[in-house]
């Protein structure tokens, strides 16, 4: 069952006129070429509808005005940050207002005493990190898209990243937020949700509910984030080269079993390394089938011991070699390669991106199944992974314009979701359901849980105006 599409009761012209009555002219985008650029995210082959108009809001009041007009005229609202999503979550639906939050970039408060900051949703993750670093503070969640993706988008997808293995995902840092909601509060009402204190259990965890809600419950206009003190010292980087993906998977399982806590444990296969090397010439040799990259930020002797134990674990799992990088530039180049792997592969043609997560002990088996499924469907495979979390991103590569290969990749995509569910895992660890994982979600969720989720959506958005057709 899919969520009903909203009945758009208005023409594009009527919508434009109504918005123009409440917003400065430069906020409104009607130019078809610009609108087309704002109408989709980075997901390959996710359906894109025809937006009626886009609004580049600059304040919470403007967001309220957009939502009120949308409710009055029955037009869907599709919130959007930077559009780096990989599930079609920010894709336009027919007749919608694309609500672009990327111009709301203010840092409203940095409370170093309490390790809290308050920001608008459009600030880019890395820009926030840079501002905080000046005050000796750190916001850990670090999706590989951190140079481009916004905090609002990160919150709406509950983004993960490289250091989330040790420091947690976006959810662990969201204390509170403000959002323009509908439902019981009335469309266009600003609601303060959550708290600013370290602890708090006053009522249901509505801030937690908004995290990962993919724009389907309301528009986030402000976020209160928990911070940490900036790390001190230089981290240790440990690299392991493996002859097979499965051997690298065994090393991940071993690291978990030994109770080691690297701040990152990432996997890159040869296809990814070669694509980055050919593009950026970082000086990386791409001979092994797979590399594991680990980072240890524990200070002092404990960190040295932990880095040594990681290298031993890699060797015990059958690494061709494992070594601590003594060269900071080389270490950074390797992590840069990890961050650039996705855009490097995208240059070669369409990429269908998986985002499955399995219990960490199951990583070797899941990696083996990934290879089997790709081979069965004759699909070219590249794999990157936040391997320490069990979060695997097999990337299915398709030659441009080859529709037969695309269909094979889409079949493989669905089989990979089923395999992850079969291992007790999930169809999406961090990219969200959006449009691409709707089928997988139905197969994964307990039926009762699905009913609860639908009930929440219809209670908070009875007119189905916020990002309709996504998730369900
Ligand atoms: C190269 C690359 C690497 C990536 N690496 C990672 C990674 O390591 N980890 C990870 O988790 N993801 C990763 N992603 C996916 C993507 O960057 C994340 O999902 C990110 O959080 C999206 O942020 P965005 O600002 O681009 O949001 P968008 O793509 O614009 O939107 C994402 C979703 O959030 C909703 N939304 C956006 N802003 C708001 C708001 N203010 N209020 C309500 N809803 C809103 C949208 O409707 C949509 O459903 C990667 C993507 C790329 C292209």
């Amino acid at each position: 069952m899919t969520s009903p599409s909203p009945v758009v009761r208005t023409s594009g012209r009527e919508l434009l006129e109504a918005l123009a009555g409440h917003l400065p002219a430069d906020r409104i985008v009607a130019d078809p070429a610009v609108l087309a650029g704002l109408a989709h995210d980075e997901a390959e082959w996710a359906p894109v509808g025809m937006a009626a108009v886009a609004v580049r809001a600059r304040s919470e009041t403007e967001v309220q005005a957009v939502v009120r007009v949308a409710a009055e005229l029955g037009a869907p609202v599709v919130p959007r940050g930077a559009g780096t999503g990989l599930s079609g979550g920010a894709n336009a639906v027919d007749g919608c207002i694309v609500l672009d939050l990327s111009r709301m970039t203010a840092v409203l408060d940095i409370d170093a005493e309490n390790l809290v900051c308050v920001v608008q949703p459009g600030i880019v993750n890395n820009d926030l990190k840079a501002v905080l670093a000046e005050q000796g503070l750190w916001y850990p969640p670090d999706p590989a898209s951190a140079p481009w993706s916004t905090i609002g988008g990160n919150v709406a997808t509950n983004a993960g990243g490289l250091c989330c293995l040790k420091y947690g995902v976006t959810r662990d840092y969201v204390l509170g937020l403000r959002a323009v909601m509908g439902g019981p509060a009335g469309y266009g009402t600003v609601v303060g949700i959550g708290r600013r204190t370290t602890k708090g259990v006053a009522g249901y965890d509505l801030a937690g509910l908004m995290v990962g809600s993919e724009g389907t419950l309301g528009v986030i206009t402000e976020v209160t984030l928990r911070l940490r003190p900036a790390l001190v010292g230089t981290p240790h980087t440990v690299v392991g080269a493996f002859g097979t993906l499965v051997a690298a998977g065994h090393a991940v399982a071993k690291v978990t079993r030994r109770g080691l806590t690297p701040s990152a444990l990432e996997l890159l296969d040869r296809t990814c390394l070669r694509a980055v090397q050919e593009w950026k010439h970082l000086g990386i040799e791409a001979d092994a089938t797979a590399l594991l990259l680990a980072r240890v930020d524990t200070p002092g002797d404990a960190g040295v011991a932990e880095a040594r134990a990681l290298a031993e674990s890699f060797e015990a799992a059958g690494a061709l070699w494992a070594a601590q990088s003594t060269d900071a530039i080389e270490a950074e180049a390797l992590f840069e390669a990890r961050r650039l792997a996705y855009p490097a592969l995208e240059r070669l043609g369409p990429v269908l991106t998986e985002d499955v997560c399995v219990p960490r002990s199951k990583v070797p088996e899941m990696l083996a199944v990934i290879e089997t499924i790709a081979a069965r469907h004759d699909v070219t495979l590249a794999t990157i992974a936040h391997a320490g979390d069990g979060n695997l991103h097999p990337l299915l590569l398709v030659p441009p314009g080859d529709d037969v290969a695309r269909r094979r990749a889409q079949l493989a995509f669905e089989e990979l979701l089923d395999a992850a569910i079969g291992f007790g895992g999930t169809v999406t660890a961090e990219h969200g359901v959006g449009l691409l994982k709707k089928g997988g979600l139905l197969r994964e969720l307990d039926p009762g849980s699905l009913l609860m989720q639908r009930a929440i959506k219809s209670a908070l958005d009875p007119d189905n105006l916020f990002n309709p057709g996504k998730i369900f």
Side-chain angles (χ1 to χ4, degrees):
M1 198 171 115
T2 52
S3 208
S5 284
V7 180
V8 181
R9 298 195 307 262
T10 181
S11 70
R13 176 168 295 281
E14 198 183 7
L15 200 51
L16 264 172
E17 281 168 8
L19 289 169
H22 293 86
L23 298 163
D26 67 349
R27 310 296 200 265
I28 298 172
V29 179
D31 178 87
V34 184
L35 200 51
L38 291 170
H40 63 88
D41 67 10
E42 292 279 320
E44 207 61 61
W45 303 314
V48 180
M50 187 73 89
V53 59
V55 174
R56 290 180 156 142
R58 288 191 179 265
S59 69
E60 188 175 79
T61 314
E62 291 180 3
V63 173
Q64 280 184 282
V66 171
V67 172
R68 285 191 186 124
V69 166
E72 211 176 290
L73 298 180
V77 176
V78 178
R80 170 191 174 88
T84 66
L86 292 171
S87 64
N91 282 10
V93 299
D94 286 341
C96 77
I97 305 170
V98 172
L99 182 47
D100 177 1
L101 285 308
S102 67
R103 306 282 163 102
M104 290 177 60
T105 58
V107 177
L108 302 169
D109 183 21
I110 299 180
D111 178 355
E113 241 180 343
N114 290 300
L115 293 172
V116 165
C117 74
V118 182
V119 299
Q120 288 189 321
I123 188 165
V124 166
N125 181 308
N126 268 1
D127 292 350
L128 174 61
K129 283 191 169 68
V131 172
L132 294 170
E134 285 170 18
Q135 302 204 24
L137 298 168
W138 182 38
Y139 170 68
D142 59 344
S145 60
W148 316 286
S149 63
T150 65
I151 292 296
N154 292 174
V155 171
T157 56
N158 189 18
L162 279 67
C163 77
C164 298
L165 170 61
K166 182 167 180 179
Y167 293 103
V169 295
T170 303
R171 176 182 304 287
D172 300 304
Y173 293 86
V174 177
L175 293 170
L177 45 85
R178 285 166 66 88
V180 176
M181 304 291 290
Y187 281 93
T189 308
V190 177
V191 183
I193 297 170
R195 59 189 203 276
R196 200 183 158 109
T197 49
T198 312
K199 295 173 74 177
V201 288
Y204 294 132
D205 180 8
L206 297 185
L209 179 64
M210 293 300 287
V211 177
S213 61
E214 301 188 42
T216 62
L217 299 180
V219 184
I220 298 162
T221 49
E222 190 180 295
V223 191
T224 301
L225 295 166
R226 181 201 304 271
L227 305 175
R228 295 179 69 100
L231 292 172
V232 287
T234 311
H236 306 270
T237 299
V238 182
V239 186
F242 296 85
T244 65
L245 272 178
V246 174
H250 282 298
V252 172
K254 224 173 244 313
V255 167
T256 311
R257 220 166 25 244
R258 287 185 71 171
L260 302 173
T261 51
S263 58
L265 182 54
E266 297 287 313
L267 180 144
L268 267 166
D269 76 1
R270 181 164 40 202
T271 312
C272 298
L273 283 167
R274 288 207 170 136
V276 177
Q277 178 57 17
E278 277 160 25
W279 181 31
K280 291 288 177 181
H281 310 290
L282 296 175
I284 297 163
E285 285 179 26
D287 293 338
T289 300
L291 281 192
L292 277 182
L293 302 179
R295 190 167 260 172
V296 173
D297 62 8
T298 312
D301 291 344
V304 175
E306 203 173 342
R308 197 179 311 120
L310 273 165
E312 283 165 14
S313 301
F314 290 178
E315 278 160 0
L320 304 171
W321 54 264
Q324 281 194 53
S325 176
T326 47
D327 178 346
I329 293 172
E330 179 199 68
E332 189 41 44
L334 286 166
F335 276 96
E336 187 64 2
R338 164 63 188 89
R339 282 188 286 265
L340 291 174
Y342 184 77
L345 290 163
E346 256 191 326
R347 293 172 65 245
L348 308 178
V351 178
L352 198 50
T353 309
E354 277 291 4
D355 173 39
V356 294
C357 193
V358 294
R360 287 175 287 184
S361 61
K362 300 290 183 195
V363 167
E365 286 167 77
M366 185 67 202
L367 285 169
V369 168
I370 287 169
E371 290 191 303
T372 308
I373 291 175
R376 187 163 59 241
H377 291 283
D378 190 19
V379 177
T380 307
L381 179 73
T383 299
I384 47 179
H386 304 303
D389 286 318
N391 180 190
L392 311 176
H393 297 306
L395 306 169
L396 307 170
L397 313 181
V398 177
D402 187 338
D403 282 345
V404 178
R406 172 173 63 83
R407 277 194 290 279
R408 288 201 307 269
Q410 286 170 321
L411 280 176
F413 185 86
E414 293 298 326
E415 274 186 34
L416 287 166
L417 300 185
D418 289 333
I421 295 170
F423 283 122
T426 179
V427 297
T428 175
E430 55 179 24
H431 294 167
V433 176
L435 292 168
L436 291 183
K437 300 287 171 63
K438 285 167 70 169
L441 182 86
L442 293 181
R443 305 197 299 271
E444 175 180 330
L445 287 192
D446 178 288
S449 160
L450 194 60
L451 288 175
M452 287 169 71
Q453 303 223 8
R454 286 189 197 285
I456 289 167
K457 168 71 175 169
S458 56
L460 297 188
D461 181 19
D463 294 354
N464 196 24
L465 291 183
F466 291 121
N467 214 0
K470 311 296 170 62
I471 302 185
F472 307 111

